[in-house]
């Protein structure tokens, strides 16, 4: 029996928590319901990173929607793009520069 | 002057609205704030489709979060994966088969 594996790593930053995932094999949609994304401090932002399908990112975006803001890392941009925010000082479309 | 263009097409289905976008050039994050996604009947589901960056999908997922459910089309699966739902008969990870 091969267990499906998805590893989350988190890094606490001052303004946000970086949540990076590694898929050890191709993820199937039916695995979404068993996913247990890490608990983080929702008073901070959340930055999502990792190689995975769009629907996994959309699921995680919804999962973390109470967070201060949510951004997804885009390696082509060298930063994470804010996709939703509850913080008046952070705007949608803002790119938070970072190295991953 | 070249105007940045993003075209949305919508198809009304019985259970959901299919929202397909076409980008005529690479989208930059700063364009997100000017985006005007089409208004749809939120009592139905929303299926998102199109070639674009993950952060665009995550933005649209949040934009349509009041919809009955949201799914993103994955051409590799030949269907759309439900990423969030308010409908007890539709579950996260469900694949809605469709041809686009």
């Amino acid at each position: 029996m091969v267990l499906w594996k998805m590893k989350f790593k988190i890094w606490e930053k001052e303004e946000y928590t970086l949540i990076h995932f590694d898929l050890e094999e191709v993820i199937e949609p039916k695995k979404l319901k068993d996913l247990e994304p890490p608990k983080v401090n929702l008073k901070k932002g959340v930055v999502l990173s990792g190689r995975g399908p769009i629907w996994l990112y959309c699921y995680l975006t919804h999962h973390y929607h109470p967070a201060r803001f949510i951004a997804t890392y885009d390696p082509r941009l060298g930063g994470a793009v804010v996709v939703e925010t509850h913080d008046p000082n952070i705007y949608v479309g803002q790119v938070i520069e970072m190295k991953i």
Side-chain angles (χ1 to χ4, degrees), chain A:
Chain A
M1 185 175 137
V2 179
L3 287 172
W4 173 82
K5 284 179 187 169
M6 179 169 175
K7 287 180 183 166
F8 289 99
K9 292 176 190 165
I10 67 174
W11 285 269
E12 284 268 357
K13 307 282 184 179
E14 193 175 333
E15 298 293 320
Y16 58 85
T17 307
L18 172 59
I19 304 175
H20 180 83
F21 57 82
D22 281 307
L23 299 172
E24 296 190 353
E25 55 187 89
V26 173
I27 183 175
E28 292 171 61
K30 65 182 176 187
K31 301 293 186 185
L32 277 188
K33 67 179 189 308
D34 301 320
L35 220 60
E36 290 181 12
K39 286 185 182 167
V40 299
N41 179 357
L42 298 171
K43 290 179 183 168
K44 292 185 182 183
V46 163
V47 174
L48 301 171
S49 161
R51 285 174 64 96
I54 284 172
W55 42 265
L56 175 59
Y57 268 92
C58 292
Y59 168 82
L60 291 171
T61 297
H62 178 62
H63 180 83
Y64 288 112
H65 74 88
R68 193 166 133 232
F69 65 84
I70 300 176
T72 64
Y73 181 70
D74 185 336
R76 288 167 300 184
L77 299 170
V81 180
V82 175
V83 297
E84 67 173 89
T85 177
H86 301 291
D87 182 334
N89 296 314
I90 304 276
Y91 58 91
V92 164
Q94 184 173 343
V95 179
I96 302 167
E97 290 185 24
M98 62 184 69
K99 287 183 180 177
I100 293 183

